[in-house]
Amino acid sequence: MPDNDPSSSHGVAALFSHGRLTAIPRKPARREQLLVHLARTLFEPDRTYSEREVNEALLTVHDDYSTLHRYLVVAGLLTRPKDGSSYRRILTG
């Protein structure tokens, strides 16, 4: 039975090869599935991260960390104050 839960990490396995993201999905639903997975696996809840820490975590899975960083913020999975001084994971579960 296929895994249709967008919050499940099983559905994003095909996007990775040897632990690295092969491409950032163009389709919004598929990209959101990936972003939820990244937020859950790379960032702890209730922890504040610097921009450098966010970028370093994203670099572990893909070289285009700036695009992933932007997508995570736009999707509301990472939040930051207006001054951009820190980031926090916003995700239940």
Side-chain angles (χ1 to χ4, degrees):
M1 183 159 120
D3 187 353
N4 293 325
D5 180 0
S7 64
S8 171
S9 62
H10 299 294
V12 298
L15 299 173
F16 288 84
S17 176
H18 304 289
R20 300 278 296 166
L21 180 62
T22 58
I24 300 171
R26 291 183 183 201
K27 291 184 179 181
R30 189 74 167 141
R31 185 170 53 236
E32 183 176 344
Q33 186 180 27
L34 168 68
L35 295 173
V36 168
H37 170 77
L38 293 176
R40 286 189 173 158
T41 58
L42 298 177
F43 304 102
E44 299 174 27
D46 302 321
R47 178 173 168 212
T48 300
Y49 292 87
S50 68
E51 182 167 5
R52 182 178 179 179
E53 289 174 310
V54 171
N55 293 342
E56 287 174 352
L58 294 171
L59 269 170
T60 66
V61 295
H62 197 274
D63 290 337
D64 191 358
Y65 65 89
S66 61
T67 296
L68 290 173
H69 188 152
R70 183 177 68 251
Y71 282 149
L72 284 164
V73 171
V74 168
L77 298 170
L78 288 181
T79 62
R80 63 180 173 200
K82 288 185 179 186
D83 68 3
S85 61
S86 62
Y87 295 82
R88 292 180 66 84
R89 181 183 117 177
I90 302 299
L91 195 64
T92 58

